[in-house]
């Protein structure tokens, strides 16, 4: 992908995917770095399900709005400060998926319990402070919690994923919620006893990450599915 319009199309589609697949409803956003710059495309302040490739904002890592019409999402600082801290990251999703939020509120870290969870073999750190990320300082805090990782759980709030492109960040967000949903079901089936869950060992998790992780070949197949399905689903999933 080389041109601006393709990247804009991906950003809008990523936003619609996270809404159509129930990761966010009225709130949440996906963005992509403009390659080789400190600037990124992000949707305007409306449901991600309504994102439009021709109505994106261009914002830089200092939070300056450089192009586009409309109001920025109040939490654009998550994107700005992760891009500032992580030159390797070119795509970010911030969403509010219910199973991930539930895990944070019962004090359970994410565990790899099926193949698509392998992307998170190195663990998903938690950002414990509640509330919205509406300042540069809080954006920096989230970036610090993320560290060199690919995702961060935000307690009572949601998740942020950070990958080499917006497609992988979007697929990863879907995988993380699927994984957290399974973990919740397993916990319930096990009477709430986390020790009964046969979570993958680190070696097993790395094996399935290499086979099915969103940074690998599977990303294009998963993106093909999620994007095609998102175009078919009605607003509201
Ligand atoms: Zn949020």
């Amino acid at each position: 992908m080389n041109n601006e319009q393709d990247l804009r199309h991906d950003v809008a589609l990523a936003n619609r995917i996270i809404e159509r697949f129930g990761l966010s409803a009225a709130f949440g956003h996906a963005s992509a770095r403009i390659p080789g710059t400190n600037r990124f495309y992000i949707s305007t302040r409306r449901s991600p399900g309504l994102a439009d490739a021709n109505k994106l904002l261009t914002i830089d890592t200092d939070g300056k709005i450089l192009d586009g019409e409309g109001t920025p999402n109040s939490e654009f600082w998550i994107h700005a400060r992760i891009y500032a801290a992580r030159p390797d990251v070119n795509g970010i999703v911030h969403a509010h998926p219910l199973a991930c939020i539930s895990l944070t509120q019962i004090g359970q870290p994410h565990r790899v319990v099926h193949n698509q969870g392998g992307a998170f073999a190195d663990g998903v750190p938690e950002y414990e402070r509640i509330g919205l990320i509406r300042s540069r300082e809080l954006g920096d805090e989230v970036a610090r919690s993320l560290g060199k990782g690919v995702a961060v759980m935000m307690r009572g709030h949601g998740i942020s994923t950070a990958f080499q492109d917006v497609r992988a960040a979007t697929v990863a967000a879907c995988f993380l919620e699927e994984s957290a949903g399974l973990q919740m079901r397993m916990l319930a089936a096990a009477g709430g006893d986390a020790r009964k869950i046969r979570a993958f060992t680190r070696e097993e998790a790395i094996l399935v990450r290499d086979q099915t992780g969103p940074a690998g070949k599977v990303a294009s197949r998963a993106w093909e599915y999620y994007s095609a399905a998102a175009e078919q689903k009605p607003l509201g999933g």
Side-chain angles (χ1 to χ4, degrees):
M1 181 194 329
N2 295 316
N3 72 50
E4 173 187 327
Q5 205 52 39
D6 285 347
L7 192 56
R8 285 176 167 272
H9 180 262
D10 273 10
V11 171
L13 197 45
N15 276 278
R16 295 202 296 274
I17 288 170
I18 64 171
E19 189 275 336
R20 296 300 197 280
F21 280 86
L23 275 66
S24 274
F27 312 102
H29 18 88
S31 71
R33 185 197 297 272
I34 299 173
T37 74
N38 68 340
R39 303 173 179 191
F40 56 95
Y41 294 128
I42 189 168
S43 51
T44 55
R45 192 176 190 183
R46 57 204 304 234
S47 166
L50 302 171
D52 182 331
N54 297 311
K55 293 180 181 169
L56 302 176
L57 298 175
T58 304
I59 303 180
D60 73 13
T61 51
D62 287 320
K64 188 174 177 191
I65 300 163
L66 302 167
D67 189 39
E69 289 180 19
T71 309
N73 285 290
S74 67
E75 294 194 294
F76 73 83
W77 285 110
I78 296 169
H79 303 254
R81 301 316 294 165
I82 290 174
Y83 286 127
R86 292 278 301 275
D88 59 310
V89 167
N90 295 306
I92 294 171
V93 166
H94 172 64
H96 306 137
L98 301 185
C100 289
I101 294 170
S102 298
L103 279 185
T104 68
Q105 291 299 72
I106 59 172
Q108 284 292 320
H110 175 265
R111 291 191 172 90
V112 180
V113 294
H114 81 318
N115 291 346
Q116 270 70 31
F120 312 100
D122 292 328
V124 181
E126 182 184 277
Y127 178 72
E128 190 177 3
R129 188 184 199 281
I130 57 114
L132 298 178
I133 309 302
R134 287 180 161 170
S135 70
R136 180 186 182 110
E137 292 70 28
L138 292 177
D140 283 335
E141 280 188 8
V142 172
R144 271 196 294 278
S145 292
L146 173 68
K148 293 178 178 166
V150 295
V152 57
M153 295 275 191
M154 301 163 73
R155 183 169 73 91
H157 179 172
I159 60 169
S160 297
T161 58
F163 275 78
Q164 78 275 16
D165 60 51
V166 67
R167 294 185 178 193
T170 304
V171 168
C174 294
F175 284 3
L176 184 55
E177 175 63 358
E178 179 181 289
S179 183
L182 269 178
Q183 195 177 332
M184 292 292 294
R185 287 164 72 172
M186 291 176 189
L187 259 179
D193 185 350
R195 293 169 303 180
K196 290 183 177 172
I197 297 178
R198 300 172 70 191
F200 289 10
T201 64
R202 181 171 162 71
E203 290 71 26
E204 289 172 335
I206 288 171
L207 173 72
V208 294
R209 177 179 67 188
D210 293 344
Q211 291 176 343
T212 68
K217 286 181 187 164
V218 76
S220 59
R221 181 167 163 182
W223 172 265
E224 178 187 41
Y225 164 72
Y226 284 117
S227 55
E231 300 286 26
Q232 300 289 323
K233 284 173 179 270
L235 189 69

